Structure formats: C-alpha cells, structure tokens
Amino acid sequence: MASILVVDDEMGIRELLNEILTDEGHTVYSAESAIQARTIREQMRPDLVLLDIWMPDTDGITLLKEWSKTGQLTMPVVMMSGHATIDTAVEATRIGALNFLEKPIALQKLLKTVNKALESSPKYIAPEEGKLVQAVPVVAANGNSSLELFAEELRLAQDNLGLITGKLLPDDLLGKIFSQFCIGK
C-alpha cells in the first residue's frame, strides 16, 4: 500500500495513527518534530503526510510553507489540529495542504481523508485486489510499439510538468526513467 508520514508532537496521536494506518496496510513513518519530518520526508519520500499544525519547534504551517517554497511539496499533505481556526485551515489549503482534520480525529473521517488524499498522490497507485500486472508488448494502429507510446507519454508528461512548475526534467533523467521502467536497465 502507501507510505505515510505522521508528524505530531503528541506521542499518543502518533501511536494511534500508526496503529490504524498500519492495520489498513500502509507503511507509517512517525516524526515528533519538524526536524525529524524534514529528514524522513527527504529519505523516505512518503506518498502522503499527515501534519500537525501546532508543534513546539517549528509549526506545521511553517514546514508546509518551507516545502512549498523549495519545491518539496511533491506529495499530498493533510493538516491536523485540535486548536486551529478556520483562518488557519484556509491558510494551510492556500499554501498547498489538500485537506484538514480536526482532532480528535474520527476513524471513518481519517480513513476517508487518507484514501482521498492518496488518490491525488502523483506517485501512489492503488493495487487492484487479486490482480497481477504484467507488461505485454502492444503495437498501436499507427505501428508504434508500447515502448514508443510510453516514451511519447513520458515526453508529454515532461511538457506538462514544465507548464505547471516552470521546470523541465533533464533529457538524461528522462532517458534513465525510460530505461529503468521499460527496458529494465
């Protein structure tokens, strides 16, 4: 399933969310501070972050702003708080948070929010139950192979990414992605 980073200074919240999300089949990483969250986010590249707003060293809004400004907001972030105002929730979504959970968090609300957030995660693909996926070479009506079609899709994704972010992936990186996933080299 997905990898989820839970950032909260309250140990009880971290443990509860860890237990619930692990039972759902997710891999959960926990951080009690922004410092730990930065390290885990960099090393583990989670599919989703559940981020507390009020923490002692650096608050969640500041961390969210940091990730947004430095281009590290590459995964959905759901903010959590038991003391936040509507203004804080609006600010968080304006910065880039996908959603907001109010503590105490109801189980069904948590699961629904996590599933919805993972649907928007650019790198998470939910497995279809009981199905194995096998690559099969396909030739399109125009004679292009599935690898050629994938290369074209990769190039279109590169162009769209450039339109959205103003940044392009270097061609050598695109070649590595193509080789890794299509050719296995």
Side-chain angles (χ1 to χ4, degrees), residues 48-69:
L48 170 65
V49 176
L50 300 177
L51 180 58
D52 186 25
I53 290 180
W54 303 114
M55 296 185 296
D57 60 340
T58 303
D59 66 76
I61 296 289
T62 302
L63 185 59
L64 183 67
K65 284 179 186 175
E66 176 187 312
W67 285 343
S68 180
K69 286 179 183 176

Side-chain angles (χ1 to χ4, degrees), residues 1-77:
M1 294 289 285
S3 62
I4 301 173
L5 171 57
V6 175
V7 185
D8 199 304
D9 60 316
E10 296 179 50
M11 183 173 56
I13 299 287
R14 289 192 314 272
E15 289 175 349
L16 178 63
L17 293 178
N18 188 328
E19 184 178 331
I20 291 168
L21 296 170
T22 300
D23 285 349
E24 291 295 311
H26 302 293
T27 300
V28 180
Y29 305 102
S30 296
E32 65 180 335
S33 66
I35 293 169
Q36 287 181 351
R38 286 181 192 105
T39 302
I40 294 170
R41 187 248 166 260
E42 186 62 35
Q43 293 174 351
M44 301 302 167
R45 307 281 182 175
D47 298 307
L48 170 65
V49 176
L50 300 177
L51 180 58
D52 186 25
I53 290 180
W54 303 114
M55 296 185 296
D57 60 340
T58 303
D59 66 76
I61 296 289
T62 302
L63 185 59
L64 183 67
K65 284 179 186 175
E66 176 187 312
W67 285 343
S68 180
K69 286 179 183 176
T70 60
Q72 295 180 358
L73 195 55
T74 56
M75 66 287 168
V77 175

Side-chain angles (χ1 to χ4, degrees), residues 40-41 44 59 70-71 88 93 106 108 114 120 122 143 148 151 170 175 180:
I40 294 170
R41 187 248 166 260
M44 301 302 167
D59 66 76
T70 60
T88 306
T93 54
Q108 291 307 313
V114 165
S120 72
E148 290 168 318
Q180 181 68 35

